[in-house]
Amino acid sequence: MTTLRLPGRVDAHVHSREPGYTHKEDFYSGTAAALAGGVTVVLDMPNTIPPTATPERLAEKARLAAAKAVCDVGLFVGATTTYADAYLPVATQACAVKIYVSDTFGSLRIDTLSLLHQLFRTWAETAQGTGYRTHDRAGGLGPITVHAEDLMLSACLALADLYHVPLHIAHVSRRSEIELIRKAKEHGINVTCEVTPHHLFLSTDDLGRLGNLGDMRPRLGTPDDVAALWENLAYVDIFATDHAPHTLQEKGVGAAEAPANPPPGVPGVETMLPLLLTAVHQGRLTLQDIVGRCINNPRRIYGLPEQPETWVDVDVDASFVLTNKQLLTRVGWSPFAGMNLVGRIQEVVLRGVRVYGDGQILAEPGSGRVLFVQPE
Ligand code: DOR
Ligand code: ZN
């Protein structure tokens, strides 16, 4: 057994599902799954019911997270067609704004240039007023984070360039997209990006086996898309999971009749570290690749505070078969179930307190902190 001590990891893309979808996950089950995955900060997405699109909704979500979370939580605000930029008065209390420009789950969708343009303009104006620096959050704003696939990616890059707003591209999945981001970075545009484990370790070749359990947005790429992500790893700033739990029933598993519109998305917050450590074991990644993309870069991009006396101990020699039974996510399944993995999380310590060990959550609900939000 070889124990390796890592700093607490960040998962910068998690759908905790509360409020509105707590049959899929809530702030307790989602953050418990995070700790089991060696994650001590999750950044929570705004496509809940109701969406986190106004100051009142952000305050409500902060209360829910503060009551239940067992790791730290940053909250995204989201743009809706109805409320557009209603979040601006509390923009500094969000880790960032998330704009869904491409097809997704839930009601948040912005697909007209006029609205997209408005959102970039008002975020830039607010940032000028607050003097944003994403690496120094004192009173500043986070980046604009977008789900923008294909042609929509170029629209977002152009707007970020024109308005000098830091832009973060969520879950990049295609060769064309990572190559365009690479070009944009070389050109000096202030853009960063993330890739999920499912887009790194699965492809369209797995769809026959996975069925609806392999359906998410962006969809799985071809083996050539996957190869392009690995070839361009130097341009990938963050590994984040897009932990997007839906129940097996909603996915149509075991159902007599296939559901008409199964929701897209897969859980992942507790399986990313063993998957990445397995890639280290295979010589495809280095530990430094993980530390940069799961700790240092997300902290810098979102301006996250340090977590003192916080670490994750992993047994890098432990090999095991991933089973659904061992998972803490409420939905209890993973698209990676059945895989042989090397690297088991033994213990997590958050601010000097042992919060996970021997497969058990030891933290009290509400011991996690909600980042950036000012107490009322
Ligand atoms: O597959 C996805 N599911 N992609 C998204 O962007 C949203 C997510 C969800 O919330 O279920
Ligand atoms: Zn997502």
Side-chain angles (χ1 to χ4, degrees):
M1 174 168 115
T2 313
T3 299
L4 183 85
R5 182 159 290 184
L6 295 170
R9 289 189 318 111
V10 179
D11 190 337
H13 193 144
V14 169
H15 296 263
S16 305
R17 300 297 194 209
E18 190 170 359
Y21 299 110
T22 51
H23 65 289
K24 301 177 197 270
E25 202 78 286
D26 70 5
F27 276 112
Y28 180 76
S29 63
T31 54
L35 287 183
V39 170
T40 53
V41 186
V42 297
L43 301 186
D44 172 73
M45 286 293 162
N47 62 338
T48 43
I49 306 179
T52 323
T54 65
E56 295 71 30
R57 295 306 180 204
L58 183 70
E60 181 198 10
K61 197 177 251 196
R63 278 194 296 274
L64 295 168
K68 289 191 187 172
V70 287
C71 75
D72 292 354
V73 180
L75 301 172
F76 279 90
V77 286
T80 65
T81 45
T82 332
Y83 296 109
D85 48 17
Y87 48 72
L88 284 173
V90 291
T92 56
Q93 299 189 42
C95 59
V97 61
K98 173 75 182 285
I99 307 179
Y100 291 87
V101 194
S102 299
D103 177 35
T104 187
F105 172 73
S107 64
L108 296 182
R109 180 85 192 270
I110 301 292
D111 57 3
T112 65
L113 180 60
S114 61
L115 210 42
L116 193 60
H117 185 188
Q118 175 188 332
L119 296 169
F120 273 79
R121 194 182 64 230
T122 58
W123 192 259
E125 284 166 3
T126 308
Q128 264 159 20
T130 58
Y132 72 81
R133 295 177 299 279
T134 56
H135 54 281
D136 169 10
R137 283 291 297 242
L141 292 195
I144 290 183
T145 294
V146 292
H147 173 172
E149 298 179 42
D150 206 62
L151 279 174
M152 289 305 192
L153 173 60
S154 19
C156 291
L157 285 170
L159 286 165
D161 193 24
L162 292 170
Y163 283 100
H164 302 291
V165 176
L167 177 68
H168 181 72
I169 314 293
H171 41 46
V172 176
S173 68
R174 296 294 186 270
R175 176 177 285 281
S176 54
E177 294 165 359
I178 192 66
E179 289 182 352
L180 183 62
I181 291 166
R182 175 179 180 160
K183 194 76 192 154
K185 286 186 174 207
E186 287 167 356
H187 197 70
I189 295 180
N190 190 354
V191 59
T192 53
C193 71
E194 78 195 24
V195 168
T196 68
H198 47 268
H199 291 117
L200 278 179
F201 297 111
L202 300 172
S203 74
T204 45
D205 284 356
D206 296 291
L207 279 175
R209 176 175 70 78
L210 290 170
N212 286 345
L213 300 188
D215 180 36
M216 73 292 285
R217 301 292 175 277
R219 295 175 199 275
L220 291 177
T222 64
D224 181 62
D225 290 320
V226 176
L229 298 178
W230 284 94
E231 281 162 26
N232 288 286
L233 222 46
Y235 299 90
V236 173
D237 302 275
I238 294 181
F239 294 139
T241 63
D242 194 8
H243 175 78
H246 299 285
T247 65
L248 285 172
Q249 196 186 12
E250 289 165 333
K251 287 287 202 178
V253 173
E257 228 173 283
N261 288 307
V266 296
V269 70
E270 61 199 298
T271 49
M272 176 157 75
L273 185 54
L275 284 162
L276 295 175
L277 289 170
T278 304
V280 172
H281 183 78
Q282 294 164 343
R284 304 178 77 191
L285 283 178
T286 66
L287 276 176
Q288 210 39 51
D289 288 331
I290 299 181
V291 172
R293 290 170 183 78
C294 298
I295 300 159
N296 302 339
N297 295 348
R299 278 216 189 120
R300 187 191 75 246
I301 290 164
Y302 288 103
L304 306 176
E306 294 283 320
Q307 294 176 308
E309 285 185 79
T310 298
W311 64 81
V312 177
D313 281 346
V314 287
D315 177 357
V316 287
D317 296 330
S319 80
F320 63 99
V321 177
L322 183 77
T323 61
N324 287 337
K325 223 171 74 192
Q326 73 201 55
L327 298 172
L328 298 189
T329 171
R330 184 157 289 164
V331 296
W333 65 273
S334 163
F336 303 106
M339 275 179 75
N340 272 305
L341 299 177
V342 184
R344 191 190 286 281
I345 293 123
Q346 294 174 302
E347 178 174 279
V348 180
V349 171
L350 175 58
R351 285 184 282 275
V353 178
R354 190 166 182 257
V355 286
Y356 174 82
D358 307 316
Q360 304 294 321
I361 299 297
L362 307 169
E364 287 301 315
S367 55
R369 290 188 184 160
V370 181
L371 308 178
F372 306 124
V373 176
Q374 311 291 323
E376 287 169 282

